[in-house]
Amino acid sequence: MTTTASGKTRVPAIDGWFTTGDEPALLASRCEACGTYVFPPGPTWCPNPACSSTAFDEVRLGRRGRVWSFTDARYQPPPPFRAPEPYEPFAIAAVELVAEQLVVLGQVVGDVGCDDLAVGDEVELVVDTLFEDDDHEYLVWKWKPVATGVDGEGRADG
Amino acid sequence: MGDDGRRVAVLGAGMHPWGKWGRNFVEYGVKAANDALAEAGLAWTDVQFVAGADTIRNGYPGYVAGATFAQALGWNGTRVSSSYAACASGAQAIDSARTQILAGRCDVALVVGADTTPKGFFAPVGGERKADPDWLRFYLVGATNPTYFALYARRRMACYGATDADFAAVKVKNARHGAANPNARYRTPVTAEEVLASPMVADPLRLLEICATSDGGAALVLTSLEFARRHGHAEPVTVEAVSTVTPTFPQGRLEMPDLATDSAVAVPSGRRRFTAAVVQAAYDEAGVGPDDVDVAEVYDLSSALELDWYEDLGLCKEGEAERLLTDGDTTVGGRVPVNPSGGLSCFGEAIPAQAIAQVCELTWQLRGAAAGRQVEGARLGVTANQGLFGHGSSVVLRR
Ligand SMILES: [Zn+2]
């Protein structure tokens, strides 16, 4: 938990779904028996119908992935979404994590629009402000394009 | 031709026109029910089973729909059921009625679904619901229904080279079909230029390419084949199959309202989409295949999504839907017309009524009674539908 320059406390918008800090990552459960990853974390049973395990490890998902698809929100979504005034459209990406073989949806960081994105692009997970109230800044994971020219394999690095 | 022990007759279909009427949903359902009964030549007092499809927008799930419609028509001691399965609610209600008939528990069943909808995006149930994926997707990402439709549309562009013009052409086709349908809400033909000039909602989808939310009601009278024949219907339209199967793990396509797919590390992803599996289960039950289909009603929540359905129905290979569309195959007059009713594009979505409305349209098509939008000589039709939380449905009808 940290504090912003304006004295607000920074807290996750939801508990237990991601880490914060320099190299934030999504948290998932991994089935001890069959290895299936589950995000969001905290399943009671393994979703694999051929596996009856109820034991899971908490793991971090890879911080980089490939854009499976993307869009944007030109109009303000209804509550419980909370948007700053005036409303600024934002991009949304579904990102494929290669090692874990799953796709995770998330907002794309603020200054990146659909024109800056393409299916297959490499992106990295960051933690950023979702919304604020008088005392708190609420955090969520977002996707950020990895600068072009960087050699990446789009797989877990931690 | 399936064996008689597995088929039921559709003797009546009825609808309340779709619109934004702002009245009680019960009124739409009762109007549709009475029209369906009149078409069947039966009275409410002949009905032995009422299957309601629920809306979640009107108090207790549609006041618990089956009973609400039964009370509105006048309590008469019928058995009732109520089904909620998101967009597939209507198909589950149809299946509930069908299985009652096939089990020999009744001869005449009434299926009713109706909705009154708010303006704008569908929003989740209120309150703070951090265990509800439908609440969480709005809260954490701002992911509306069009967000998901747009992800699929962009995927088609990246994988198959679909264009804005292809998506607009779906809307133009459906608008032309719907212009002839008295139950459609939007009955004005549009041009591709108008579609492409409408505001972008969720890139690459524009306002005229995303289905609206509507008020409406639809109803069916289903009977046993024996009852139908005894009452002078020698060759009624029949329900050959109803599929409401779940996805198979691992579900590899991001589906509403999920924020993530299943992981495929332990079990490889299947080759086919969930939506294709829903249709295949209906084909299998009916003992038919894509080549047998004369007409289809599909859930075009967006213009682009209709193209996915062509492939899920097996009307073409993956990646060839754009060509099927531009060749005119899916237009009334073409090889296998899709959405002759005008589809969701011209109706907007009245969730519990929509899967029933698809069957109403095919019933009229197979009887040759779809004036102005008739698919000539249609003998076999299929519906396809998909909604939240892994629900989908497909119904096969034959005459
Ligand atoms: Zn397992």
Side-chain angles (χ1 to χ4, degrees):
Chain A
M1 195 175 293
T2 59
T3 307
T4 66
S6 55
K8 293 185 183 183
T9 307
R10 305 181 86 206
V11 292
I14 189 157
D15 291 328
W17 284 34
F18 56 91
T19 64
T20 56
D22 284 347
E23 295 207 331
L26 295 171
L27 293 171
S29 301
R30 184 174 58 198
C31 175
E32 286 184 1
C34 76
T36 291
Y37 292 86
V38 184
F39 179 84
T44 311
W45 293 283
C46 181
N48 175 357
C51 176
S52 56
S53 173
T54 55
F56 297 88
D57 297 318
E58 184 182 86
V59 295
R60 293 169 173 234
L61 295 179
R63 299 187 55 240
R64 288 192 176 185
R66 297 276 178 195
V67 173
W68 181 82
S69 192
F70 61 93
T71 180
D72 58 14
R74 298 289 178 101
Y75 295 88
Q76 184 171 330
F81 184 77
R82 295 170 66 169
E85 301 280 344
Y87 177 72
E88 286 288 339
F90 56 93
I92 295 171
V95 173
E96 191 166 18
L97 304 180
V98 176
E100 297 88 352
Q101 294 188 50
L102 56 75
V103 171
V104 181
L105 194 65
Q107 292 186 12
V108 178
V109 291
D111 53 345
V112 177
C114 283
D115 290 345
D116 306 313
L117 294 167
V119 169
D121 278 359
E122 188 175 18
V123 292
E124 183 172 81
L125 186 120
V126 298
V127 163
D128 193 13
T129 306
L130 178 62
F131 64 93
E132 300 178 36
D133 61 19
D134 289 345
D135 304 319
H136 298 90
E137 191 180 310
Y138 294 89
L139 305 174
V140 77
W141 76 90
K142 293 185 185 178
W143 299 111
K144 180 180 183 176
V146 172
T148 49
V150 175
D151 253 317
E153 292 176 278
R155 58 171 50 247
D157 63 2
Chain B
M1 193 70 83
D3 88 77
D4 281 4
R6 301 178 61 87
R7 300 155 67 221
V8 299
V10 186
L11 289 197
M15 290 169 67
H16 183 290
W18 264 229
K20 211 71 176 176
W21 313 113
R23 299 199 300 271
N24 190 312
F25 72 99
V26 182
E27 182 183 328
Y28 316 143
V30 168
K31 195 269 184 194
N34 282 326
D35 283 5
L37 285 165
E39 213 184 78
L42 294 170
W44 160 237
T45 46
D46 296 320
V47 173
Q48 300 155 330
F49 184 82
V50 178
D54 305 350
T55 157
I56 57 165
R57 259 157 262 288
N58 297 279
Y60 294 90
Y63 309 126
V64 191
T68 278
F69 296 126
Q71 183 181 26
L73 289 156
W75 292 126
N76 67 354
T78 56
R79 297 168 191 263
V80 296
S81 76
S82 300
S83 300
Y84 184 70
C87 300
S89 300
Q92 286 204 353
I94 291 168
D95 207 26
S96 170
R98 176 179 81 128
T99 50
Q100 288 285 327
I101 293 166
L102 294 180
R105 298 186 71 192
C106 67
D107 277 320
V108 181
L110 176 67
V111 182
V112 191
D115 206 358
T116 296
T117 52
K119 195 170 179 291
F121 288 122
F122 276 141
V125 177
E128 184 173 290
R129 301 162 57 84
K130 287 189 176 174
D132 174 0
D134 196 38
W135 190 90
L136 286 167
R137 58 150 168 156
F138 285 91
Y139 173 65
L140 292 172
V141 179
T144 60
N145 291 5
T147 299
Y148 291 79
F149 311 155
L151 292 173
Y152 307 147
R154 174 64 60 186
R155 192 79 193 154
R156 281 206 78 82
M157 294 174 119
C159 295
Y160 308 132
T163 64
D164 290 328
D166 292 328
F167 299 156
V170 173
K171 173 67 183 184
V172 170
K173 168 187 76 76
N174 287 343
R176 191 161 55 212
H177 291 172
N181 190 341
N183 288 311
R185 174 177 171 191
Y186 302 105
R187 299 187 57 197
T188 311
V190 297
T191 64
E193 291 70 29
E194 287 168 325
V195 177
L196 294 172
S198 67
M200 193 72 87
V201 173
D203 192 323
L205 295 176
R206 295 171 165 84
L207 187 62
L208 288 180
E209 298 180 300
I210 295 171
C211 107
T213 64
S214 291
D215 297 1
L220 294 164
V221 174
L222 304 182
T223 74
S224 64
L225 278 189
E226 193 272 330
F227 179 97
R229 288 182 182 133
R230 196 152 29 93
H231 288 76
H233 304 274
E235 258 194 86
V237 171
T238 53
V239 177
E240 302 284 310
V242 180
S243 159
T244 57
V245 298
T246 71
T248 301
F249 179 87
Q251 161 69 295
R253 179 152 120 152
L254 190 70
E255 299 283 3
M256 293 188 294
D258 296 336
L259 289 171
T261 64
D262 290 332
S263 159
V265 291
V267 180
S269 275
R271 201 180 51 78
R272 308 202 73 184
R273 285 192 285 257
F274 163 53
T275 40
V278 170
V279 174
Q280 188 62 50
Y283 284 160
D284 289 348
E285 185 187 352
V288 300
D291 291 346
D292 300 310
V293 174
D294 298 315
V295 55
E297 282 283 314
V298 304
Y299 227 57
D300 56 320
L301 292 162
S302 80
S303 55
L305 207 54
E306 179 170 311
L307 298 168
D308 287 348
W309 282 119
Y310 295 176
E311 297 162 4
D312 294 335
L313 288 168
L315 303 181
C316 62
K317 294 196 182 77
E318 266 191 45
E320 294 181 355
E322 287 75 12
R323 202 176 72 202
L324 200 71
L325 171 77
T326 51
D327 285 354
D329 285 22
T330 57
T331 304
V332 170
R335 183 170 65 81
V336 54
V338 176
N339 282 336
S341 71
L344 293 176
S345 162
C346 296
F347 275 75
E349 195 181 15
I351 291 176
Q354 212 68 45
I356 300 170
Q358 291 183 317
V359 173
C360 290
E361 174 68 12
L362 289 189
T363 298
W364 293 324
Q365 288 288 346
L366 297 178
R367 282 192 199 142
R373 58 186 194 283
Q374 180 64 46
V375 177
E376 291 306 326
R379 301 287 292 183
L380 190 122
V382 61
T383 74
N385 152 294
Q386 188 195 11
L388 291 179
F389 294 112
H391 284 110
S393 71
S394 179
V395 179
V396 175
L397 297 152
R398 188 199 291 272
R399 182 159 192 212

